[in-house]
Amino acid sequence: VMLGVAGWIGALFLLGFVGVGFSFVMKSTAAALIVGALGCVAAYAIFRAARDNDFALQFGLAVSLAAQAIFISGLLNGFRQETPILYLLIVLFEATLALLVPNFIHRVLTSAAAAFALSYALNSIGMLGVTSGVVACGLAMIWLDQRRWLGSGNLWRPIGYGLVLALIQIESMLLGLHMMLWTTAREISWWTQYGWWVGTALVTAVLMWAVMRMLDQQGMSVSSKTGATAMAAVAVVGALSLVAPGLATALLILLLGFTTGNRILMGLGLFALLGFLSHYYYQLQTTLLVKSMVLAASGGILLAARQVLRRVHRFG
């Protein structure tokens, strides 16, 4: 984390240097694209040549972040307006960097940036909330497929972390947009108003699929008592997420961390769960009585599920 923040600070200084000393680079589309691409190539060379040199790796991270900003500014200048094609090009650019550049922090940042760009691309064509389902699906596929870690863990682990951070941020942005739309009285499309419900439904579907995979890995059938209880609990969580957005997302991250034994994922899941529940409790759309009833019902369902599991499998 410290190296990542230091890389951001270094990137800001490099951007300031380029902006002041070579202002024509930022103003010219061709120059920005060329300089940005060359900067990314230089960063790749640094990462490949200095694997154990912390100073060189931090410098390479700063060079890459600055080069990405210059390249994206060139794309923005070229298109002159925000379009889905622009964002898809950014997705392709960031995803390519995530796959090719062999650095953990760099892959976390570029994979998260690719997910953000995909969110803007889908939102620009009116498909609000769909990105949550897409990112959640990719997240579950990465962390639940153990074969990916045998020979390419250095590639997929940082990408998995990047998608987790992006998913939490995307869900938080949807909450902010939902609050903004609720406080305005202007006419908006159905998808803009209820797109976050679509995203919640997609994340819930991914959560159900992930639970089925987890049960299969433990040798349990969905039709067994434990499987039926788990699927019923997921369905209830999905229904509650329509009222308290983000609940299914947080539970997905938490379960992925638990089933893989990853404490970082579990911590991020708990942090997201606390944040989304706090947001729901303190928002002004419904009364405190309704919120308390929803939270109490959620806790009651979880306690009831625990009692069922204790009786079926004698858990502690």
Side-chain angles (χ1 to χ4, degrees), residues 40-263:
C40 291
V41 172
Y44 173 81
I46 293 173
F47 285 129
R48 295 289 296 183
R51 294 179 178 272
D52 299 324
N53 190 322
D54 290 338
F55 177 80
L57 293 177
Q58 183 175 325
F59 179 73
L61 180 62
V63 170
S64 178
L65 293 178
Q68 291 174 53
I70 295 172
F71 187 88
I72 293 174
S73 69
L75 291 177
L76 293 173
N77 291 334
F79 280 87
R80 298 186 183 279
Q81 61 180 355
E82 299 179 2
T83 63
I85 297 178
L86 167 64
Y87 293 123
L88 290 177
L89 288 175
I90 297 176
V91 172
L92 180 61
F93 173 64
E94 296 292 345
T96 302
L97 290 177
L99 292 174
L100 295 181
V101 179
N103 180 266
F104 186 92
I105 299 176
H106 190 274
R107 279 177 170 154
V108 171
L109 297 178
T110 50
S111 58
F116 289 145
L118 179 62
S119 175
Y120 282 104
L122 294 178
N123 291 347
S124 64
I125 59 176
M127 300 180 67
L128 185 69
V130 175
T131 313
S132 298
V134 174
V135 176
C137 182
L139 182 68
M141 293 178 63
I142 288 175
W143 288 103
L144 289 178
D145 191 352
Q146 300 296 329
R147 293 172 297 179
R148 296 181 184 274
W149 307 101
L150 296 179
S152 55
N154 293 332
L155 170 64
W156 292 109
R157 185 175 290 105
I159 292 178
Y161 284 129
L163 293 183
V164 170
L165 297 176
L167 182 58
I168 295 175
Q169 182 62 29
I170 290 171
E171 289 287 90
S172 301
M173 292 169 61
L174 285 178
L175 290 178
L177 178 61
H178 177 58
M179 286 295 296
M180 182 185 69
L181 295 176
W182 177 74
T183 55
T184 58
R186 60 182 180 178
E187 293 292 332
I188 55 178
S189 64
W190 181 92
W191 197 290
T192 302
Q193 186 173 2
Y194 299 105
W196 62 278
W197 277 6
V198 176
T200 298
L202 292 175
V203 173
T204 302
V206 173
L207 178 59
M208 287 185 172
W209 175 80
V211 170
M212 293 173 62
R213 286 288 305 273
M214 295 174 192
L215 291 172
D216 182 67
Q217 290 176 358
Q218 298 298 323
M220 298 181 183
S221 173
V222 178
S223 59
S224 64
K225 292 182 179 180
T226 302
T229 302
M231 297 305 294
V234 170
V236 172
V237 169
L240 291 174
S241 296
L242 297 176
V243 182
L247 187 60
T249 300
L251 184 60
L252 173 64
I253 298 173
L254 184 60
L255 286 179
L256 290 175
F258 179 78
T259 194
T260 57
N262 191 310
R263 294 185 178 181

